[in-house]
Amino acid sequence: MAQRRHPPGARQRAGSARGHRPGADVTTFIPGEPWSTGVARAADGSVTVGGVGVRTLASQHGTPAYVLDEADLRARARGYRRAFETAFAEIGAGIDVYYAGKAFLSVAVARWVHEEGLRVDTATGGELAVALRAGIPGAHLGLHGNNKSDAEIARALDAGVGRIIVDSLVEVDRVADAVAARGGAPAPVMVRVTTGVHAGGHEYISTAHEDQKFGLSIASPDGDSPAMQGLLKVLARPELRLLGIHSHIGSQILDPSGFEVAARAVLTLRARLAERTGVQVEEVDLGGGYGIAYLPGEVALDPDRIAKDIAGSVEASNAELGTALPRFSIEPGRAIVGPAGLTLYTVGTVKPVRLDDGRTRTYVSVDGGMSDNLRPALYGARYHAEVVGRRASMQTVLARVVGKHCESGDIVVHEVQLPADIRAGDLLAVAATGAYGRSMASNYNHVPRPPVVGVAKGTSRVLVRRETEDDLLALDLG
Ligand SMILES: *Cc1c(COP(=O)(O)O)cnc(C)c1O
């Protein structure tokens, strides 16, 4: 997933200003995106999150630690819900916002988003277990997955989930058979379709055919498309109630047109099904993927604007098709939790490396790495980092932040200007790590996974505790 380098912005102007003030004893840190809204600079030049100083966080909870700004996360959840409810109310449609739990799920976070009026999507039995532990009613939960186990399907049925999103023709039968075996009311299902629109980064591509594992294609070279077959198959099974059609086109999307093209394709499929069977499905889910800022100068999708654009476009498509508007749903994950999180590391080895072009790159090693943030290694994702525990030099060096793992690809921040006086013991924060950080973390090199610390109103509390070596050894039966 390529991400563009940010255009010249306030931060870069500040960066060059540093060059004009060599050695000035002022911190380089500037709050604002990509940092959470609760990030600020204290009088002594250090940084606070939700009113708690990073030095306090580090001494109380250790490093590395994921820090989640509760007020910021809640405001984003509320912001998405309000934006979409308002825009869709204007076209006369209802909408539900599901938080995509795979971005990061813990009992506390599930509660926060639910208190802000969101529902929760899960993709595995484990995610479902966390959402249920948080006390979220089954009716407000969804279960996704392209390869659900029998146990996961049974658990979703036990919990009375509001929707199971079926991903293949065989799964239609598997869910229906599970309902038949246990008896009870028909299970509400949505059929996940692929529209040929793939988006991520800044562009989207629309192709007729699909070469990926999710969903059922709406392309129909001959006869019914797999998507239409799936819908007809659900209608044919009395153990299932066809709730709707689901489409998710990608992640970290900053160009809204992909959503509109996909929504049109889904509404068209819905109209074709209605012509064919007389059934107008109740609900259309437009998926998640709303992009955020990872670097200074990058601009996140604005929920108010994108909600208006999508609502306007579905209204137009629907009017052309002559169908009654369905209820809608969306599933943002990253856009809710990503910007609310940062990772706090302690700097260890600092090593200058001479490059072929004569420049020097300063390798800054931190006490975590690809085990707590896989995204740079997995997709070349870009992040921003700052020295946050003290006033630092205004003079900067070209730096690369690396982890402690036995892989040269163990990179946390590929390229960033860091204070020239960076040294062992400094606290370094990486911005916007709330999504797909802890949730993709591993124990590579037997490194215990960091805690998730929530901060709000000047206090911090551990939401997910740090793993210990005892936790790791408990799994090893010798
Ligand atoms: C991953 C995923 C999401 C959330 O994507 P974000 O980029 O985190 O918003 C939503 N729906 C489905 C089906 C997904 O797979």
Side-chain angles (χ1 to χ4, degrees):
M1 181 166 49
Q3 289 180 7
R4 71 179 164 163
R5 299 269 308 137
H6 54 90
R11 186 60 179 70
Q12 274 162 322
R13 283 196 298 278
S16 57
R18 285 175 198 164
H20 296 305
R21 301 183 55 194
D25 186 26
V26 179
T27 183
T28 60
F29 185 86
I30 299 173
E33 285 201 322
W35 301 99
S36 76
T37 47
V39 167
R41 216 164 67 179
D44 69 354
S46 70
V47 169
T48 61
V49 190
V52 187
V54 291
R55 286 201 305 265
T56 304
L57 288 168
S59 66
Q60 285 182 351
H61 306 289
T63 62
Y66 301 102
V67 179
L68 260 189
D69 179 344
E70 178 179 347
D72 179 275
L73 189 154
R74 284 179 180 271
R76 289 175 201 277
R78 212 157 47 233
Y80 261 84
R81 182 170 66 76
R82 287 205 186 130
F84 276 82
E85 280 177 0
T86 306
F88 279 71
E90 269 165 30
I91 65 163
I95 186 159
D96 296 307
V97 179
Y98 285 75
Y99 170 64
K102 72 175 199 237
F104 173 70
L105 202 61
S106 72
V107 168
V109 165
R111 283 194 187 127
W112 296 347
V113 297
H114 196 245
E115 282 165 13
E116 299 301 338
L118 274 56
R119 301 178 175 209
V120 175
D121 260 334
T122 63
T124 62
E127 289 177 9
L128 188 56
V130 176
L132 290 170
R133 171 74 63 85
I136 300 184
H140 287 189
L141 297 175
L143 179 68
H144 277 277
N146 67 301
N147 187 23
K148 301 172 187 75
S149 68
D150 290 338
E152 286 169 331
I153 292 169
R155 190 166 203 176
L157 294 172
D158 284 343
V161 299
R163 54 192 206 171
I164 296 177
I165 295 92
V166 296
D167 202 87
S168 61
L169 295 175
V170 288
E171 200 174 83
V172 174
D173 283 330
R174 291 185 57 227
V175 176
D177 292 346
V179 176
R182 55 192 290 125
V189 301
M190 300 186 91
V191 174
R192 177 156 176 184
V193 304
T194 50
T195 56
V197 180
H198 296 283
H202 289 266
E203 72 302 312
Y204 77 91
I205 50 165
S206 182
T207 54
H209 298 285
E210 299 288 344
D211 189 4
Q212 50 101 348
K213 70 177 184 174
F214 293 111
L216 291 163
S217 174
I218 62 167
S220 50
D222 35 57
D224 287 334
S225 66
M228 179 62 85
Q229 290 174 44
L231 293 165
L232 294 172
K233 199 162 182 189
V234 173
L235 286 174
R237 293 290 312 242
E239 302 90 345
L240 304 179
R241 181 164 76 79
L242 179 60
L243 178 65
I245 308 176
H246 183 286
S247 151
H248 170 73
I249 58 173
S251 204
Q252 185 53 14
I253 299 166
L254 292 165
D255 170 2
S257 51
F259 289 111
E260 297 175 20
V261 175
R264 185 183 179 79
V266 171
L267 289 169
T268 305
L269 174 65
R270 176 172 176 265
R272 295 287 101 82
L273 180 71
E275 280 162 23
R276 179 97 171 248
T277 63
V279 175
Q280 281 197 4
V281 299
E282 291 159 51
E283 189 167 326
V284 165
D285 190 303
L286 301 173
Y290 305 95
I292 64 168
Y294 280 101
L295 301 176
E298 271 188 336
V299 180
L301 276 187
D302 170 25
D304 291 309
R305 264 220 38 213
I306 181 105
K308 274 207 184 77
D309 288 353
I310 297 177
S313 141
V314 300
E315 184 186 33
S317 300
N318 211 64
E320 258 173 63
L321 293 163
T323 38
L325 274 167
R327 187 173 183 80
F328 288 89
S329 44
I330 58 162
E331 305 171 333
R334 183 193 314 272
I336 307 298
V337 71
L342 61 79
T343 310
L344 204 53
Y345 297 102
T346 300
V347 170
T349 304
V350 176
K351 184 197 287 181
V353 172
R354 187 70 179 238
L355 306 180
D356 285 343
D357 61 10
R359 291 183 305 164
T360 299
R361 196 196 304 285
T362 302
Y363 275 77
V364 174
S365 297
V366 294
D367 50 353
M370 64 190 293
S371 57
D372 59 73
N373 189 353
L374 186 59
R375 295 186 67 255
L378 189 60
Y379 334 103
R382 302 289 161 142
Y383 283 91
H384 180 63
E386 295 271 8
V387 167
V388 290
R390 62 174 174 92
R391 263 183 228 286
S393 165
M394 285 292 273
Q395 269 192 328
T396 62
V397 291
L398 175 68
R400 174 166 291 170
V401 180
V402 296
K404 60 182 288 167
H405 296 283
C406 305
E407 284 282 331
S408 49
D410 172 27
I411 293 170
V412 180
V413 181
H414 204 257
E415 196 165 282
V416 62
Q417 293 287 327
L418 288 175
D421 63 352
I422 189 164
R423 54 190 180 245
D426 271 339
L427 287 176
L428 186 94
V430 176
T433 57
Y436 306 106
R438 180 59 173 79
S439 70
M440 285 187 171
S442 77
N443 292 121
Y444 181 41
N445 288 133
H446 282 281
V447 169
R449 288 174 296 177
V452 181
V453 177
V455 291
K457 298 180 187 147
T459 57
S460 70
R461 124 179 127 89
V462 178
L463 307 179
V464 179
R465 76 159 166 80
R466 183 184 302 282
E467 256 174 352
T468 62
E469 282 173 9
D470 284 343
D471 289 327
L472 301 184
L473 286 168
L475 300 174
D476 187 331
L477 303 186

